[in-house]
């Protein structure tokens, strides 16, 4: 047995942000969902992740409020402003205005679904510790290659390591 639980923030379905599945869920904006079966507080089945993108909403999306607003690196210092959004100089340019949804849908898209702490946490996040390397700095990720025609695409769990150093 067990309880079907999900999150909408990339975190594990066992954690404090998880929600018990109660019935149909409306997905009407860009959403990343992780799903699992939990029994007695333990994850007994990790069903993975699924990403829904709404191309007409992407140019105006804002990052979650708990994401870093500036970056520091051991090698280059900081702070450097974090910029997550689409460049309005491109999206709103007269020669491209109105084309974004069609152009976006024509592109191959890969979604990487992380626990945000595995990416941003100062102590264990691979972005915050980009000069580290090796298997100790590999983090679990769900990878999806999205089908622009709306089909199921391809997904798998994997390990992810940062590369670059700054």
């Amino acid at each position: 047995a067990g309880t079907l639980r999900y999150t909408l923030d990339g975190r594990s379905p066992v954690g404090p942000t998880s929600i018990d599945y109660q019935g149909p869920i409306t997905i009407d904006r860009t959403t990343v969902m992780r799903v699992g079966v939990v029994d007695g507080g333990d994850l007994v089945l990790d069903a993975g992740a699924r990403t829904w993108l709404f191309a007409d909403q992407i140019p105006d999306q804002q990052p979650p409020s708990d994401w870093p607003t500036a970056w520091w690196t051991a090698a280059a210092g900081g702070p450097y402003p974090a910029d997550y959004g689409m460049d309005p100089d491109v999206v709103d340019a007269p020669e491209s205005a109105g084309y974004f949804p069609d152009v976006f849908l024509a592109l191959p898209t890969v979604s990487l679904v992380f626990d945000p702490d595995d990416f941003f946490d100062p102590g264990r996040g691979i972005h915050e510790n980009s000069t580290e390397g090796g298997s100790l700095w590999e983090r679990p990720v769900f990878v999806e290659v999205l089908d622009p025609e709306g089909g199921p695409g391809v997904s798998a769990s994997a390990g992810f390591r940062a590369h670059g150093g700054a």
Side-chain angles (χ1 to χ4, degrees):
T3 303
L4 186 61
R5 297 184 62 83
Y6 66 96
T7 62
L8 301 174
D9 62 3
R11 289 180 171 85
S12 169
V14 174
T17 62
S18 65
I19 303 163
D20 285 352
Y21 176 75
Q22 300 292 323
I25 302 165
T26 300
I27 305 291
D28 59 3
R29 61 186 169 86
T30 296
T31 300
V32 174
M33 180 184 287
R34 283 187 59 186
V35 178
V37 175
V38 178
D39 189 15
D42 294 322
L43 186 63
V44 294
L45 173 66
D46 193 339
R50 178 71 194 255
T51 304
W52 291 267
L53 299 176
F54 292 78
D56 59 327
Q57 298 172 7
I58 289 172
D60 300 318
Q61 285 180 174
Q62 298 298 314
S65 61
D66 60 343
W67 283 18
T69 57
W71 297 110
W72 293 82
T73 68
Y80 300 101
D83 183 1
Y84 301 102
M86 298 294 299
D87 189 335
D89 292 339
V90 174
V91 175
D92 298 333
E95 62 272 15
S96 61
Y99 292 106
F100 180 82
D102 292 334
V103 170
F104 181 81
L105 290 172
L107 294 172
T109 303
V110 174
S111 173
L112 302 176
V113 180
F114 282 92
D115 178 322
D117 292 338
D118 284 342
F119 200 71
F120 295 128
D121 183 82
R124 75 172 207 241
I126 60 174
H127 190 282
E128 292 289 314
N129 296 283
S130 61
T131 59
E132 301 295 339
S135 62
L136 292 177
W137 288 92
E138 184 173 294
R139 300 295 179 259
V141 63
F142 291 96
V143 180
E144 287 182 277
V145 178
L146 304 177
D147 179 359
E149 301 297 321
V154 177
S155 64
S157 59
F160 189 89
R161 298 181 192 184
H163 179 75

